[in-house]
Amino acid sequence: MLDLTELEINDDNSLPAYKKDKLKDNIDELKARLEVAIDELLGDVQDPQLAPESTQTPDNLFSLS
């Protein structure tokens, strides 16, 4: 959503460059705050990996029992 907003700002010819820069700075700040919030929610682990010594195989990892 923020990326789309930034694209719209870039495409808007009625905005002066200094206002575009200020809006882009605000978007960058919001993106950074969003990343921090995501990291806090996920415990800074977005892609957990199975340990190499794990005994789970595809068969028992995805079984319904």
Side-chain angles (χ1 to χ4, degrees):
M1 187 70 99
L2 292 172
D3 290 332
L4 291 175
T5 304
E6 190 170 1
L7 288 174
E8 287 183 29
I9 290 169
N10 287 332
D11 292 341
D12 189 344
N13 294 328
S14 67
L15 287 172
Y18 74 94
K19 284 189 178 183
K20 286 183 181 185
D21 290 340
K22 185 171 182 160
L23 289 169
K24 288 178 194 177
D25 289 343
N26 287 343
I27 289 172
D28 289 341
E29 181 182 329
L30 289 171
K31 284 179 183 179
R33 289 173 51 194
L34 183 58
E35 286 294 323
V36 169
I38 289 171
D39 287 344
E40 287 176 0
L41 285 172
L42 297 177
D44 207 20
V45 178
Q46 294 183 8
D47 190 18
Q49 299 290 325
L50 290 176
E53 64 275 355
S54 175
T55 60
Q56 293 184 336
T57 64
D59 291 334
N60 67 11
L61 181 63
F62 296 107
S63 70
L64 298 176
S65 56

